[in-house]
Each structure stands twice: as C-alpha cells, then as structure tokens.
Amino acid sequence: LHTWAFDAADFTARVFFTSAEKGSGKSRALAVLVALAARVLATAGITAAALFRTVAAHRPTLAVDECDTFLKDNEELRGVLNAGFERGGAVVRCVGDDAEPRRFDCFAPVALAGIGRLPGTVEDRAIVIPMQRRLPSETVAPFRRAERAGLSDVRRRCARWAADRLEALKAAQPEVPEALDDRAADILGPLLAIADVAGGE
C-alpha cells in the first residue's frame, strides 16, 4: 500500500529480506512484493548511475535481489540509496558535452533481498525481515505464473484504496511509539498512517 500511496509520504523505508544462508525464501518474499507493488523495477543488480536516472525518470518501486553481491563495496550506490529515503533526496551529476550540473531525484521505495547484513547506513533506514529455511516437515505453496496472476485483483484493490485515501494519508499525523528513535519514527510514520487510515476507529 505504501508504494501506491507514495505521494503522501515524506520518508520511505528500505525493506530488507535477509537470512544467514541461501534457500530461506528471500527471493520468494521479494517476488510477492513485486506482484503487489506499484511501478516495480525488479533487478538483481544496478549501478548508482542507473538507479538515480531511473528514479528521476520513472519513479519506480525498486526491488533488488542478491544485493549482498554488490552493495557492500559500492559507496556511490549506498549514497544514492541513503539519499532516496527522504523526499527531496537527490544527487547532482555533471551531464552532457558541457558537463552541466544536473540534479537527480532519488526518492523511491526500495525492497532488497540478500544474505547477511546491509551496510550500516542503509540498514539504519531499513525494516529488516529475517528469513530462515523451512523445516523438512513444513510445506510451501508454489508461487508461479498462475499464483502471480491471482494477485492482480489484490494489486488493483491496493491501487484503488490508495487513490481514494491519498488526501487523508497526506494529512495524517500518526502516533509514533516513544520507544522509537528519530530515524525509526521517520521510516515507520508513513506505514503507521496507512494502518490508522485502514483501521479507522
């Protein structure tokens, strides 16, 4: 719902599906999110330049799998991800033959999946969702083309719900638990607003 009501938010958390080992359902969780979110760009890798140019041009929800393979040692990409957590976050790059400075908006919802921890500054802006391998006694339903298609109605309902309540979400002043620090309050505020509007009295 947050990706559909993104215009109402001043902050956007990075959702991070993580585990200590492969085969723990991270990619599956990301695939479910991709099937439901607005304007998704799903990828298993992206450069900093591609990220800020894509966000500025298309305002997507970015879904990045296997982020542990390239994010840790890429300071420029981390900087763009961090800047894009807050409305107005941007980077400036020189473009064209005359190297004219140009501002690129970076504000966008992002979901990541990978093994281990995120770099500290990115994780500080993230909702971390730990995953683990299922037990041999546990079964998981398939999530193939038919199951993805089956979510299209839910996706349409998310879009309609957000469109009908966008002004209410813009005006929302959710009550944030005192135990949360400033950064946690920032990233959870838009989600608490959605919960309040959805739940009503």
Side-chain angles (χ1 to χ4, degrees):
L1 284 172
H2 170 65
T3 67
W4 291 102
F6 183 57
D7 286 339
D10 289 326
F11 297 93
T12 181
R14 280 69 185 95
V15 173
F16 180 45
F17 299 106
T18 181
S19 69
E21 57 185 340
K22 61 184 181 181
S24 301
K26 301 178 299 297
S27 297
R28 175 68 51 87
L30 196 65
V32 173
L33 187 146
V34 164
L36 294 171
R39 300 178 308 277
V40 176
L41 171 62
T43 180
I46 192 166
T47 66
L51 175 58
F52 64 70
R53 289 176 186 276
T54 301
V55 169
H58 304 292
R59 302 184 69 232
T61 297
L62 186 66
V64 183
D65 204 358
E66 310 290 345
C67 70
D68 53 290
T69 63
F70 63 89
L71 186 55
K72 184 185 296 184
D73 299 320
N74 192 328
E75 290 185 22
E76 186 181 13
L77 183 56
R78 292 201 310 267
V80 176
L81 283 172
N82 290 343
F85 132 90
E86 183 173 4
R87 183 174 296 282
V91 296
V92 175
R93 296 292 186 269
C94 293
V95 298
D97 294 336
D98 297 327
E100 286 293 319
R102 180 177 164 196
R103 181 183 183 278
F104 292 89
D105 185 14
C106 298
F107 185 49
V110 176
L112 305 160
I115 292 174
R117 303 283 301 265
L118 286 172
T121 56
V122 180
E123 190 165 299
D124 191 43
R125 294 161 170 82
I127 297 169
V128 178
I129 302 176
M131 309 287 288
Q132 63 185 26
R133 279 180 178 246
R134 62 185 171 95
L135 299 173
S137 59
E138 296 174 317
T139 58
V140 177
F143 190 66
R144 300 188 183 96
R145 186 180 308 176
E147 288 78 22
R148 284 180 171 86
L151 290 178
S152 60
D153 182 57
V154 178
R155 188 174 186 275
R156 281 193 299 272
R157 289 165 61 191
C158 287
R160 178 60 188 267
W161 185 92
D164 289 348
R165 292 160 180 83
L166 193 62
E167 294 308 313
L169 290 169
K170 286 180 179 178
Q173 297 288 329
E175 193 172 313
V176 178
E178 290 183 9
L180 299 178
D181 63 24
D182 290 343
R183 179 65 53 74
D186 288 343
I187 66 175
L188 292 175
L191 305 183
L192 293 171
I194 288 171
D196 287 349
V197 172
E201 293 299 319

